[in-house]
Amino acid sequence: MTIIDGNLISNQIKEEIKESVTKLVNEGKKRPHLAAVLVGMDGASQTYVGHKVKSCEQVGFESTLVTLDENTTEETLISKIHELNNNDAIDGFIVQLPLPKHIDADKILLEIKASKDVDGFHPINFGRMCLNLPAYIPATPMGIMTLIERYKIETKGKHCVVIGRSNIVGRPMSILMSRAGIDSTVTLCHSRTSNLQEECRRADIIIAALGKPNFVTKDMVKPGAVIIDVGITRVEDSSKKSGYRIAGDVDFENVKDLCSYITPVPGGVGPMTVVSLMLNTLQASQNLIYTK
Ligand code: NAP
């Protein structure tokens, strides 16, 4: 059994990005510049945005953090997005989700210019991804694909079960795993799937992205399967200073010895998400997907 080390791979990629930035700067080009918009004071969102800003520093990017009050109106947020769309100094930007309840996230994401949508959530990028055209790929699925590639995990002809069909993880994951060249046969499961345990037992690769701690148990895993755990749930834990611990969707301790590869939580998929956002921003700065 191999524990997939997301910290190791993400640090390697950060070094590679840093080298690319140094090269760009030496050629007299500008540093890639990522902006993040944070609305409100959600603790987890603040942590995620903080990681993104810190990663920008580590790889030599410029970063701008736009913080807006919890009560910001949809109109104010949209006008901020238009400002970022039109600011040539900024190569790409993200709007941190979730947004406060009074703001329609779908409406907001549509306002982001596709060429700056480094989260890959805009329908233009999503559609281009489905059609195998150059596109920004959503960061978490992109990070998982990178782990699979760097660990040389066989995907051709394998049966992959994805649990969860969200637009940011499960659904794009199912599309990427079934692409020509990756060639897995994909089953996309969700809360209405009737025979989920059976589906999992037939899987060569399980990608769990539902947000339910310890959901994937030993009896659901075929010996030798590859397990990718995307889940991040804060679980109360009085032994921790913070009062909580982070739990994945897989019962890691009881599943690990059964499988060929497994990602831990934390330290698996999580660090890959941030580094994939950096890769998308690097591409944006070089106009590799869209010409400005
Ligand atoms: P989401 O939008 O809440 O979607 C959850 C999906 O799981 C839905 O499609 C839902 O089905 C399905 N589901 C829920 N309960 C289920 C059950 N009992 N059986 C089968 N399917 C079930 O969540 P998300 O944004 O995709 O995130 C999923 C998890 O990944 C969360 O823990 C999140 O924190 C984590 N995450 C981690 C990263 C990272 O960087 N590691 C990034 C993003 C998200 P329905 O569609 O039928 O409701």
Side-chain angles (χ1 to χ4, degrees):
M1 180 269 300
T2 301
I3 296 181
I4 295 176
D5 190 340
N7 285 321
L8 177 83
I9 303 293
S10 68
N11 284 332
Q12 283 172 359
I13 295 175
K14 274 186 194 164
E15 284 306 314
E16 293 163 17
I17 298 174
K18 212 164 140 182
E19 278 172 29
S20 301
V21 174
T22 306
K23 196 161 164 269
L24 285 176
V25 171
N26 288 343
E27 287 167 358
K29 297 182 181 141
K30 77 185 255 309
R31 288 179 186 277
H33 189 159
L34 173 71
V37 181
L38 177 64
V39 186
M41 300 293 284
D42 177 76
S45 293
Q46 283 181 320
T47 306
Y48 294 144
V49 166
H51 284 154
K52 290 167 190 174
V53 170
K54 190 170 161 218
S55 294
C56 282
E57 279 167 25
Q58 287 171 338
V59 299
F61 287 3
E62 303 268 0
S63 69
T64 296
L65 175 58
V66 179
T67 48
L68 297 172
D69 188 80
E70 178 81 31
N71 300 317
T72 300
T73 62
E74 231 172 53
E75 291 66 36
T76 307
L77 178 55
I78 289 173
S79 76
K80 183 44 83 181
I81 289 172
H82 290 170
E83 239 176 67
L84 294 168
N85 281 341
N86 296 323
N87 183 344
D88 290 340
I90 286 171
D91 298 300
F93 66 96
I94 60 141
V95 176
Q96 184 66 43
L97 300 177
L99 287 167
K101 291 212 166 31
H102 65 280
I103 297 179
D104 178 350
D106 289 340
K107 190 172 162 189
I108 294 302
L109 295 178
L110 283 174
E111 297 295 327
I112 301 174
K113 204 171 169 180
S115 61
K116 293 197 174 188
D117 167 44
V118 284
D119 252 343
F121 295 162
H122 190 284
I124 292 180
N125 280 311
F126 206 92
R128 291 174 68 113
M129 175 187 71
C130 294
L131 296 171
N132 257 343
L133 295 169
Y136 298 120
I137 307 291
T140 302
M142 178 173 166
I144 294 170
M145 296 313 293
T146 307
L147 287 177
I148 287 173
E149 185 191 312
R150 298 239 172 167
Y151 274 84
K152 297 187 169 52
I153 291 171
E154 184 58 77
T155 53
K156 200 180 174 73
K158 300 293 181 191
H159 178 216
C160 173
V161 166
V162 179
I163 316 174
R165 56 178 164 184
S166 74
N167 292 338
I168 63 170
V169 192
R171 194 172 298 281
M173 208 55 243
S174 71
I175 291 161
L176 296 172
M177 288 302 288
S178 61
R179 267 182 166 181
I182 299 296
D183 298 321
S184 286
T185 304
V186 178
T187 303
L188 181 56
C189 298
H190 44 78
S191 66
R192 305 298 171 98
T193 301
S194 54
N195 52 350
L196 197 139
Q197 301 222 342
E198 230 171 87
E199 293 294 351
C200 287
R201 276 195 287 272
R202 292 196 302 118
D204 302 303
I205 303 170
I206 296 178
I207 300 174
L210 69 159
K212 300 258 186 285
N214 293 339
F215 182 87
V216 177
T217 49
K218 198 174 162 182
D219 55 313
M220 291 163 73
V221 175
K222 180 166 91 174
V226 174
I227 310 288
I228 308 289
D229 189 351
V230 188
I232 298 182
T233 306
R234 285 183 175 193
V235 178
E236 263 185 51
D237 186 340
S238 54
S239 72
K240 302 276 178 200
K241 215 168 101 188
S242 59
Y244 66 84
R245 67 186 162 80
I246 299 297
D249 287 343
V250 177
D251 178 6
F252 183 87
E253 279 311 315
N254 293 308
V255 165
K256 68 179 190 328
D257 295 325
L258 254 186
C259 41
S260 53
Y261 293 89
I262 187 164
T263 61
V265 176
V269 173
M272 294 304 295
T273 296
V274 183
V275 93
S276 302
L277 179 66
M278 301 295 125
L279 281 171
N280 277 344
T281 306
L282 182 63
Q283 295 196 76
S285 77
Q286 296 178 274
N287 304 325
L288 294 182
I289 309 283
Y290 299 90
T291 49
K292 278 186 185 134

